[in-house]
Amino acid sequence: MLNLLVLIVLQLNAPSLGQLCGGTLTGSGGEVTSHGFPNYYLHNQDCTWVIEARGGHASVTFLDFELEQPAGGAFGTCRYDYVEILSSGESLGIYCGNMDPGSASSDDMLEVRFVSDATFNAKGFRFTYKVQGAIEEPSCGGVLNDTSGVVTSPGYPDEYDNFLDCTWTLPATGVPVTVTFTDFQTETSFTGLTTCLYDWVDIYEDGTQLGRWCGTEKPDDVTSTNPLRIRFRSDGSVGERGFRFVYEYRQLVEEATTVPPSKLPETEPTQIPHTEGTTV
């Protein structure tokens, strides 16, 4: 029993992934979730996602939301875990529990800030964002610094452009990251060719190429503690739907932080056998 309690204390004091969450969302649209969604998010988080309008119109829409309940019940204040939405630095609202943040928009900049304390958690949240009418469309690719997220090819699910060369990098953090492609369709090489000559996706682990994929063959799932790179290239003709992949850094001990004391396994007290002739 003592060993079990020591293990739980060590797990509760394990470093969080807070330094990975948040960041500037440079795409024209996408989906963001709290770490671990729809399971429990981590404690002690302070994450801010920034969406710049870039001369156009930025918007966010929450599709799912469940955080720790507010202090004082349903009509109390959000002092523990909460999400705050800001437009150009001005707060549009603070949300917790089962409140619905709904949608927000700005012609300048939106910020979505998530804060969690050291006790209690819930399944978290999911929101989408869009940037419409931007003067300068951002280049594709970049470093994925969030704890989890969804990435799509430019224009997905419409056809991607020609002459793209995009690389997404997932840095090594000391915990495993998993990449899973949920949809995939690029230009297919002519019948009889076994290599991808036109549009393709490469995946690299710590500089070593794991494979090249094209057509409708989805890349294999990858889990690694090493840095990963996902490169997408298209040639000068024929665009397809493209692809969508999800990634998540998963801390191996995080699940233990959500087990309430009432759920701990019951153990019988240890019996010390009595041996004749032994002096106690």
Side-chain angles (χ1 to χ4, degrees):
M1 182 66 177
L2 179 60
N3 290 337
L4 177 62
L5 291 175
V6 170
L7 175 61
I8 293 173
V9 169
L10 289 174
Q11 291 173 331
L12 288 172
N13 289 303
S16 73
L17 298 176
Q19 70 274 17
L20 292 173
C21 65
T24 300
L25 304 175
T26 59
S28 58
E31 181 178 288
V32 175
T33 65
S34 52
H35 176 75
F37 179 88
N39 298 316
Y40 295 99
Y41 51 79
L42 295 175
H43 299 305
N44 301 315
Q45 300 289 284
D46 192 344
C47 320
T48 299
W49 292 271
V50 178
I51 306 104
E52 297 177 340
R54 303 190 298 276
H57 186 75
S59 63
V60 297
T61 300
F62 277 80
L63 306 177
D64 208 339
F65 191 87
E66 182 183 320
L67 302 184
E68 181 181 358
Q69 295 300 314
F75 300 101
T77 57
C78 298
R79 292 191 313 193
Y80 306 134
D81 302 350
Y82 62 86
V83 162
E84 182 177 15
I85 303 176
L86 303 98
S87 174
S88 303
E90 181 179 348
S91 180
L92 301 181
I94 298 177
Y95 308 88
C96 59
N98 298 105
M99 300 176 182
D100 180 11
S103 299
S105 62
S106 174
D107 293 330
D108 181 21
M109 180 178 69
L110 286 173
E111 296 173 86
V112 178
R113 184 186 181 200
F114 168 54
V115 174
S116 64
D117 64 7
T119 61
F120 301 106
N121 47 21
K123 73 177 183 179
F125 57 83
R126 177 169 65 102
F127 70 84
T128 59
Y129 72 94
K130 290 183 180 180
V131 178
Q132 298 173 303
I135 295 175
E136 295 183 6
E137 289 297 325
S139 60
C140 59
V143 179
L144 304 176
N145 286 319
D146 203 353
T147 54
S148 61
V150 179
V151 175
T152 62
S153 52
Y156 177 90
D158 297 326
E159 291 185 1
Y160 51 77
D161 290 332
N162 298 328
F163 301 113
L164 293 174
D165 195 345
C166 319
T167 298
W168 292 271
T169 301
L170 295 120
T173 65
V175 296
V177 59
T178 297
V179 174
T180 301
F181 278 78
T182 59
D183 193 15
F184 192 87
Q185 182 177 340
T186 66
E187 182 181 2
T188 304
S189 297
F190 290 118
T191 303
L193 294 178
T194 58
T195 57
C196 299
L197 298 178
Y198 308 127
D199 302 348
W200 39 259
V201 166
D202 283 344
I203 301 179
Y204 297 85
E205 180 184 11
D206 202 18
T208 300
Q209 185 176 6
L210 301 181
R212 173 170 291 183
W213 291 267
C214 61
T216 56
E217 178 190 5
K218 287 193 298 186
D220 302 326
D221 293 356
V222 178
T223 298
S224 178
T225 55
N226 295 317
L228 296 176
R229 284 190 298 118
I230 299 170
R231 183 187 180 196
F232 169 53
R233 181 188 177 281
S234 64
D235 66 5
S237 63
V238 185
E240 296 286 358
R241 182 172 72 246
F243 55 84
R244 177 184 187 272
F245 69 83
V246 297
Y247 68 93
E248 181 176 11
Y249 288 89
R250 181 174 294 278
Q251 195 166 5
L252 296 178
V253 298
E254 67 182 72
E255 294 183 359
T257 67
T258 63
V259 179
S262 61
K263 298 291 183 66
L264 293 177
E266 297 182 0
T267 57
E268 296 294 332
T270 302
Q271 300 293 331
I272 302 176
H274 175 71
T275 304
E276 293 185 4
T278 301
T279 301
V280 180

